[in-house]
Structure formats: C-alpha cells, structure tokens
Amino acid sequence: MENILQAIPLVFHAKTLLGMVAGNVIGLIFGAIPGFTGVMAIAILLPFTFALDPATGIVMLFSCFVGGCFGGSISAILIGTPGAPEAAATVRDGYPLALRGESYKALSMAAFASCIGGLVSAVLLMFLAPVIADWTLHFAPPEYFVLGIFGISVIAGLNSGNLIMGIIAGLLGILVSTVGMDAQSGVQRFTFNSLRLYSGFSLTPMILGIFALNRIFKGFERRHNHNCEEPEKKVVLSREKLNRKDYKDCSGAICHGTLVGCVIGAIPAAGAAIAAFISYNIEKAVSHKRDRLGTGVLEGVAAPEAANNAVTGTSLIPLLTLGIPGSGGASALLGAFMMHGLAPGPFLFRNNGATMYAIMIGFIVTNIILLVVVKAMVRGFIHITRVPESALISVLFVICMVGAFSNNTSWFDVMVTVAVGVIAYLLAQLNVPSIPFLLGFILGPTIETNFRKALVMSNNDLTIFVTRPICIVLMILTVVMLAGTKYMNRASGD
C-alpha cells in the first residue's frame, strides 16, 4: 500500500501525463501505417526517454505500445489494409462496415473494445502477475506445440466457404515459414544456395504483400477493366454514432475477446495476432450473427480488438516476473527496462516497488487516455477516405515499399513484398484465401520448434502429447473447434 501511495504522484505528474498522450499518438501513427509497427515506434522513441526518470520514460513507451497495437485497426477499417498483424482479423468486418458508411461506428467500437480489453489486462498485470506467471511456468514445448495446433484449427473458421482450401492455405504458410537455416541443426532448407534466404522470410514483407499490394493490384484491375460489372467500392463518410443497442450487442464479443487476449498474452511468444484470430473464430462459433460475420458486423470488430489489446498487459506478466517477453512489443520493452537500470525478474518489485507500481498504474491510465485520444482524432482518421482511390493506391504503394525496406534496410525485402503481392493476387483468383496462409506462416516456427523439443524431452515418444493435462485440454478444444466450425458451415449452407 505504501508503494502505491508513493506511485500515484509519479503517475499524475504533468510530465508523465504528457508522455502518455505523446506515446499514444506516436504509437497510433506508426501502427496505422502498413509496415511501421508499434514495436518500431518503441525502438525509435527509446533514446528520447533516457533523459526522463524510469517511471515516466517506461510509461511513455507503454503508451506507445498500446497505441501501436490499436493503430493497425485504423488502416484495417478505413482502407482494408491492417497496419499490424494483430489487426488482420479486424479487416474482415471493419472494412465492409466502412464501405457501408459506418466507418465512424467501426472505429469507435474498435477504440471502446480496445480500451476495455487493455484496462482488464492492465488490472490483471497489477494484481495477478505472480499467479498467472506461475501458471505459465507449466507450459513446456509439448504445450506450445499443441497450442500451435489449436491455432491451426482457427484456420478452419477463416474460410467457411471451403474448409479444405483454408487448410491447404494454412499448410502452405507453414511450408514457407521453414525457409532458411534450421535453428537446431544448422541445415539450410529451401534456400537454393542464396545467402538472402538463409534467415528466411520476414513477417513484414508477407503482411505488406498479402494485404497491401494485393489490394493495390485489385484496384488497378478495377480501374483498367471497364467491362467490370462490379462498381468500384468506396468508403462512405458517416457521422452516425454508437447507440446503447450497439454496446449491448457487442458486450459478449468484448468479454470473449478480453478473456482470450488475457490468457494468450500471459503465454510467452503466443502473440496478439493469434489472440485476435482465436477470438474472432470463437465469436463466429457462438454469436447469433455468425452467418453475417465477414460482411460487416460490429461484433466482428469488437472481438479481435478487445483480444489484441488485452494481450498488451498480460504479455508483460512473464516479462516483469520472469524476464521472459510474451510478445514482440514486450521484447522491445525488455531492452527499455534494462537501459533504465530495471532488471526484470523475481526481485524487480522488491527492489523498485514504487517505480513498478507507478508503471503499472500508468498502464491503466494510458488505456483510458487512448480512448480519449482516438475520440479526439477519429474525425481526422475518417478524412483519409476522401482521398481518391488512384491517389490512395499511389501513396499506399510508396508507403509499402518504404515500410518493406525499413524493416531490415534490405532491398530483398522489397522484392519479397512485390513477389508475395503478385502471388497473393493470383491465388485469390483461384479462391485460395490469404489470411489462413498468414496465420500458418506465423504459427509455423512455433509448431516445428516445439514439436522437435518435445521429442527430445520424451526420447522420441509421441505419447508425451497425450499424457500431459494441459496438452489434453488443448487437444479437446482443438477437436471442439474443428467440429463446431464444420457444423456451423454445414448449417449455414442449409
């Protein structure tokens, strides 16, 4: 209690509050631009926090972390291109809502769901960190492998029209994720003696190619195909606000998403993207509007947005208590803690009690500030839809190329982005979905690495996956997910 009383003046100091606002705005901007993630914003902002005291500096970075996580949904809703992987699930309903003239409602619901998910996650970080960290200690390679398989079951629900095609796309993504040097044996796989492929493909070029360039090519197709019967889609401006019924309808989706995000976030390396996809799939299974998800439903925005922001707080639990980052953003924050002289681990709270409580209380406050900042800036976000599509395509192409290059300052990443965009466009003509491919690419390393580690643990005995309680629970959930998705697809087909 004494530490909390000492922390409150630090949090509500004018300099700290200003830092929260600045961090949120910077994170929003970087998160909204495809290729420029919130993690990049943290890295760029970090040197500017050295002149600040540890509490103020790290709270500012936390705000940037939160803003960057939400920022990806801005471009996902307004232009159909997620600014970050965790916003990929938001595209499915957010962009159709914007095309229908409900962009303001979609952004407002995304901000509200993100605020709720972030607040709950921040409270858990403050009060339940030791308990949840102790639970995650039970996760070993077998549990991580089965968790990855559970994530693959999400793919089944992402392509309800053709389950087999969705599975094929997911497996193709896993195959592409194996390109490069095998981390355990050092053997080169699918590199064709090219030094540029030794480290495999980066995630950023994949996202930019699949979402941004793919859409650019479709835009070119519409503009040059004068015989196309489908009219060009444009986002229509609207000032319609959320009403009480909207909040009531989305309450269940927000609760589901928040719960999923908090649990996934506490598991090191699981990630916000996985949490968003799982939350969306759960909503597709339980929502009374499940047959309309993907066509522009607010619940389809609320669920993944609550989930990906709920990851932010609980992903810091293993970081602060064990020194294990639970996400990419947490990894960047680990460096920030070390540079400010705060070594994450069991003694962090004992040796820096007031500072740590100031950081965690600030994390709660910054989620509220995020909602205020988004509400104040949302009109400006919507004005992007007034840009003619020809100009938007040109600007988006330049941003994608710059984002691809800045990822590793590599022209090879630019070439990969273009190649992936062309392939994604061609596969779309064959009705092969791109989102399952992306999810397979993200989950591939987790599945492969932990499967091999589990076999080492068990001396090549496969029964290790059916003798551990957590593995059994995850397997049951996987079967339920697949069976439920198949049943829902059959019911919707009837």
Side-chain angles (χ1 to χ4, degrees), residues 162-203:
N162 192 331
L163 178 64
I164 300 299
M165 199 62 75
I167 295 295
I168 291 175
L171 294 177
L172 183 61
I174 295 176
L175 177 64
V176 173
S177 73
T178 63
V179 174
M181 180 184 293
D182 180 10
Q184 294 186 348
S185 66
V187 174
Q188 300 298 327
R189 301 180 298 186
F190 308 112
T191 58
F192 306 102
N193 295 322
S194 173
L195 289 174
R196 291 174 174 174
L197 292 176
Y198 275 24
S199 58
F201 295 109
S202 300
L203 181 59

Side-chain angles (χ1 to χ4, degrees), residues 24 111 115 365-378:
N24 272 320
C115 178
V365 176
T366 196
N367 279 279
I368 300 174
I369 292 178
L370 173 68
L371 182 61
V372 176
V373 169
V374 172
K375 286 286 187 181
M377 299 176 65
V378 69

